[in-house]
């Protein structure tokens, strides 16, 4: 389930995922309107990557809506590599332990963990799901930088990930 809508006037793209793909965002509300808007768009940026993979298209407008600069280029390359290998996703990802810093009125940083232990590669043609057992690599630490654009959207402009980071592994 994606984060709830923000109050910005931007017309947001549809991020409906296939019925076999689920995302949850645990504890992604602070009660502070600005921080909650940043967290919601950071979550949507992550969902836009999943959406692009499931659509088989690294150039979706949803991805470019929520990401810019090096984050967009890196995400498009990531999506392309998955699509080119004939894969998509199936299963569930849980995002948790979000930490947010608002630097000023237009920039913020968010780090968070992802539990991909119940997310699997799925062959796009045969639809066979590869249910590999979870490892430390199934847990990912994301570090992002976001910038408020002129449409009122907190776009992810920098994105780094580290699989197996001890801050996220159980």
């Amino acid at each position: 389930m994606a984060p709830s809508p923000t109050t910005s006037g931007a017309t947001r793209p549809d991020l409906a995922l296939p019925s076999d793909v689920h995302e949850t965002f645990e504890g992604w509300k602070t009660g502070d309107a600005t921080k909650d808007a940043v967290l919601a768009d950071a979550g949507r940026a992550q969902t836009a990557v999943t959406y692009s993979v499931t659509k088989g298209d690294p150039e979706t407008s949803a991805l470019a809506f929520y990401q810019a600069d090096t984050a967009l280029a890196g995400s498009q390359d990531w999506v392309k590599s998955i699509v080119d290998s004939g894969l998509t996703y199936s299963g569930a990802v849980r995002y948790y332990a979000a930490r947010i810093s608002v630097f000023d009125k237009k920039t913020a940083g968010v780090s968070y963990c992802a539990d991909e232990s119940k997310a699997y590669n799925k062959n796009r043609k045969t639809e066979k799901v590869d249910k590999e057992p979870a490892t430390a690599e199934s847990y990912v630490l994301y570090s992002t930088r976001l910038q408020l654009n002129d449409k009122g959207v907190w776009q992810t402009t920098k994105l780094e990930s580290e699989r197996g980071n001890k801050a996220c592994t159980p």
Side-chain angles (χ1 to χ4, degrees):
M1 176 162 89
S4 59
T6 63
T7 58
S8 82
T11 302
R12 295 177 179 276
D14 175 25
L15 294 176
L17 299 175
S19 61
D20 66 333
V21 178
H22 306 280
E23 295 184 332
T24 56
F25 295 83
E26 292 181 359
W28 279 54
K29 290 215 183 247
T30 67
D32 176 278
T34 300
K35 288 181 177 180
D36 287 349
V38 172
L39 286 169
D41 281 344
R44 288 185 190 99
Q46 187 65 55
T47 300
V49 174
T50 304
Y51 175 83
S52 296
V53 168
T54 62
K55 290 293 181 188
D57 183 4
E59 303 288 331
T60 64
S61 60
L63 196 55
F65 187 88
Y66 289 110
Q67 296 192 7
D69 302 335
T70 61
L72 177 59
S75 290
Q76 287 174 324
D77 288 346
W78 171 253
V79 171
K80 184 177 184 327
S81 71
I82 293 169
V83 171
D84 286 353
S85 64
L87 299 173
T88 186
Y89 295 140
S90 182
V93 177
R94 176 177 64 99
Y95 299 99
Y96 60 100
R99 291 180 296 284
I100 180 169
S101 298
V102 176
F103 304 125
D104 57 43
K105 290 181 179 182
K106 291 199 170 207
T107 55
V110 177
S111 65
Y112 55 94
C113 293
D115 172 357
E116 298 179 352
S117 64
K118 293 179 176 71
Y120 309 102
N121 288 330
K122 177 178 164 181
N123 184 295
R124 196 172 286 283
K125 287 183 184 172
T126 67
E127 296 194 4
K128 182 180 182 222
V129 177
D130 183 10
K131 291 197 174 183
E132 289 288 320
T135 68
E137 298 294 301
S138 303
Y139 299 88
V140 186
L141 174 65
Y142 287 95
S143 300
T144 66
R145 183 171 180 89
L146 297 96
Q147 191 161 355
L148 186 64
N149 70 13
D150 58 0
K151 295 177 184 169
V153 177
W154 286 93
Q155 283 188 307
T156 299
T157 57
K158 185 176 181 183
L159 171 68
E160 295 178 358
S161 63
E162 183 184 351
R163 289 195 170 275
N165 184 288
K166 297 211 183 301
C168 297
T169 54

